[in-house]
Amino acid sequence: MKLPIKLLIVATAISFSACKGGDKKDGNAKTGYAEASNDEANQIVEYNNVLVAYTDKNNTYLKSMESNVQRIARGLEQPNNQYAFIGIITPFSVPHFSKSTMKPETPPKVLSGEDQKFFKDNVLALNETFEKMKNTYKSLDEYIKAEDFKDDKGVKGKALVDSIYAMSKTYYKYDDQLLTKLEIIGDDAERIILKTHPLKEYIFAMKDDRKAVADFNKLILESKNYKDDEGKIKTAYTALEAQNKKHTEMDAPNAAKYPGKDDSFRRFNESFKEFLIETKKVMRDAATSGKITENDTEDLIRKHEYMRTSYNSFVD
């Protein structure tokens, strides 16, 4: 058994200068925040960045912990193996330093009362679950170091492992709820800032690509039997290929006016192409075996993560 796979939500750190704007109305808006002022949009974008950075930081720790928990679970099945628990390193989380005065638990007042409550409640629940997971892992770590599994045949250790698995599902539920909501709100705020941005056509093309890939990964993750879902998965893949071709054929930004942006745009399109290549291999294997493995899914999510990195390089 593994910890749940975290599907990368589209919400991302918005790094470009948030200083430009135009008319407020936008036909693509999904929320009332499309009527916000530039200053209000900046606050929403800043909160977006703070919350995304916070969840990324937590995810670094959880990925580190996941590897340990899997090794411990296997070791508890063979307690007489003297090498089973050797080399397990304490999970770590890379410190994140932010210049922003905003905190994940204090959303800006520009958000509606309902949305402020949503973020406060879900961040609180996320934090509580995260701390419980850390404390439970600490108990598991102490149990292994003391070799208490020799006294109870691993009963307590297995219970702690199961508890961590259960809490991780709860954690990622809150994580997904937060970032899904944030993506919708942040997109409208971003559109305000980008109204008159000279590179907006490229930024929105990349945003559309990343959202399409996120939707495709969600389709893959939810597939229980590849052969039953093969038709819709192939259709979605063909649409991704067409989208990549369309945006690859766009003229790159003027290198003289926007130094480095031409290369950044090409790198993003290449990262999308690499996702498509990996997907083709996954689909070929799944057509034979009848299923998509967790490792396959994780590979696709990593490719999507690289697209996010390439996107941030462009807007930075």
Side-chain angles (χ1 to χ4, degrees), residues 254-270:
N254 187 310
K257 293 176 66 175
Y258 310 104
K261 296 302 182 186
D262 54 336
D263 286 338
S264 291
F265 184 61
R266 291 190 188 99
R267 279 197 300 272
F268 177 86
N269 287 329
E270 287 169 3

Side-chain angles (χ1 to χ4, degrees), residues 33 47 51 104-126 174 177-178 181 185:
Y33 300 114
Y47 184 65
L51 192 51
E105 61 272 16
T106 54
K109 296 189 183 303
V110 63
L111 297 178
S112 68
E114 181 181 354
D115 284 341
Q116 287 184 59
K117 184 177 187 304
F118 172 87
F119 283 109
K120 286 179 181 178
D121 290 350
N122 279 274
V123 169
L124 176 62
L126 187 85
Y174 291 122
Q177 287 175 179
L178 279 167
K181 180 89 163 182
I185 293 173

Side-chain angles (χ1 to χ4, degrees), residues 13-21 38 41-42 45 49 189-190 192-199 203 261 312 314-316:
I14 302 170
S15 307
F16 50 79
S17 177
C19 61
K20 298 177 183 283
N38 272 9
N42 279 321
V45 166
N49 293 353
E190 192 176 358
I192 293 170
I193 296 167
L194 289 173
K195 289 275 187 176
T196 59
H197 197 292
L199 298 175
I203 295 172
K261 296 302 182 186
N312 283 346
F314 184 92
V315 299
D316 191 1

Side-chain angles (χ1 to χ4, degrees), residues 1-7 58-75 88-92 130 133-134 137 140 161 164-165 168-169 171-172 294-295 297-299 301-302:
M1 183 177 183
K2 298 181 67 175
L3 296 176
I5 297 173
K6 175 175 170 55
L7 181 63
N58 283 0
N59 199 47
T60 298
Y61 174 88
L62 292 176
K63 278 293 182 185
S64 179
M65 184 183 71
E66 174 186 5
S67 177
N68 288 1
V69 172
Q70 289 180 47
R71 281 197 58 190
I72 291 171
R74 290 194 297 267
I88 294 178
I89 301 172
T90 302
F92 65 92
F130 186 69
M133 289 178 73
K134 289 173 67 176
Y137 179 80
L140 178 61
V161 167
I164 290 172
Y165 285 141
S168 70
K169 291 180 180 179
Y171 174 87
Y172 282 125
E294 286 188 355
N295 286 337
T297 307
E298 289 171 344
D299 287 341
I301 290 173
R302 276 192 290 270

